[in-house]
Amino acid sequence: MELPIKELLTGSNNKKELENLLQQANLAFVSWNNLWTDFVDAPLQEEISEKLQGLNDINCYLDGGYRSAERKRICFARFSEYTSSNRDSAPIKGLNIEGNFLFDRATKKDFIQAIKSLGVSTNELGDLWIVRDRGAQILCKPETSLKLNGKKSLVRDVEIHYEALEISQLNLPNTRIPKRIKTVEASTRIDAIASAGFGISRGKIVKLIKEEHLRLNWIPIKQSSRPVKKGDRIQLENKGALKILEIQPTKKDRWRVELLRE
């Protein structure tokens, strides 16, 4: 007996990526062995979790190295092998990427491009965060950490050095406690809702949108006037995410909004 992969692919907008994950889930199903995937983006995590939710005897759990991680590895396991007491942490290690960016801070894209130039695939990489003006840190597969340990490369004209670290040695991003926010806004524009939810000025939000740091349902947004609706999720780089729990019109032609900041 195998998983009904063709049926599970119905309606997916990411059939190639989803099929790859389902093939791995099927291997775990037929072999009775737990199987860890590469790092997976959040939209695909949600889709595979939903697809497997209604099936018997197969489950998945996710681990990105820390609670608020966005990119995670998925473990597929038979139900009889899957309990909260016997779950192993995902095989994940860290890298410290050091360079002097005092006068010209680099971006996440800069560091990812530098890592890829050393023959590393993005599937091997988890979350990356900037460490002030001294470089960045990133989570990755253990074999990737070993491969890059001691290596050097360039970000623009700045030399960077890679050092393998355990997760416990990293300066992990802060884990935010979920918080409900209620606000009344003049419109449902994404810049207005994001400004209220993240506590950042509307002008700053517009600037972040232009720089493609703000995403709606994981897709970068370029229009600050884009309306949002109940169920949408807004992600802001280094600031977490907002889930829109409710949007209702008021008697004064404004909008009563309830958000969950994660």
Side-chain angles (χ1 to χ4, degrees), residues 16 30 35 84 101 105 128 140 160 173 211 231:
K16 183 177 179 180
V30 299
L35 188 150
S84 58
F101 295 92
R105 293 188 66 177
L128 180 146
C140 58
I160 56 175
E211 295 172 351

Side-chain angles (χ1 to χ4, degrees), residues 24 32 36 42 44 50 65 68 73 77 84 91 119 159 168 191 250-251:
Q24 294 178 70
W32 290 79
W36 283 101
L44 204 52
E50 291 174 1
S68 301
R73 301 187 73 174
S84 58
E159 185 176 78
S168 60
D191 56 350
T250 70
K251 294 180 179 179

Side-chain angles (χ1 to χ4, degrees), residues 42-103:
L44 204 52
Q45 295 169 28
E46 294 180 0
E47 186 170 12
I48 188 69
S49 296
E50 291 174 1
K51 293 289 186 179
L52 297 184
Q53 192 171 16
L55 298 182
N56 295 324
D57 298 327
I58 187 70
N59 209 334
C60 64
Y61 61 97
L62 298 84
D63 187 355
Y66 68 106
R67 180 178 172 183
S68 301
E70 184 173 305
R71 287 176 58 80
K72 297 179 180 180
R73 301 187 73 174
I74 303 173
C75 182
F76 297 117
R78 295 290 294 240
F79 265 118
S80 57
E81 304 294 321
Y82 175 91
T83 66
S84 58
S85 61
N86 70 3
R87 291 185 193 177
D88 293 325
S89 296
I92 299 175
K93 297 292 183 180
L95 277 171
N96 188 59
I97 310 169
E98 189 163 351
N100 187 353
F101 295 92
L102 181 60
F103 301 107

Side-chain angles (χ1 to χ4, degrees), residues 186-199:
S187 75
T188 62
R189 288 169 51 125
I190 191 170
D191 56 350
I193 304 303
S195 174
F198 291 115

Side-chain angles (χ1 to χ4, degrees), residues 102-139:
L102 181 60
F103 301 107
D104 188 11
R105 293 188 66 177
T107 67
K108 288 186 178 182
K109 289 182 179 179
D110 291 330
F111 287 109
I112 294 296
Q113 190 60 43
I115 295 171
K116 289 171 66 176
S117 72
L118 295 176
V120 173
S121 165
T122 52
N123 292 337
E124 303 174 50
L125 306 176
D127 282 10
L128 180 146
W129 55 95
I130 305 297
V131 182
R132 299 180 296 279
D133 56 7
R134 298 303 302 171
Q137 293 184 338
I138 190 170
L139 295 163

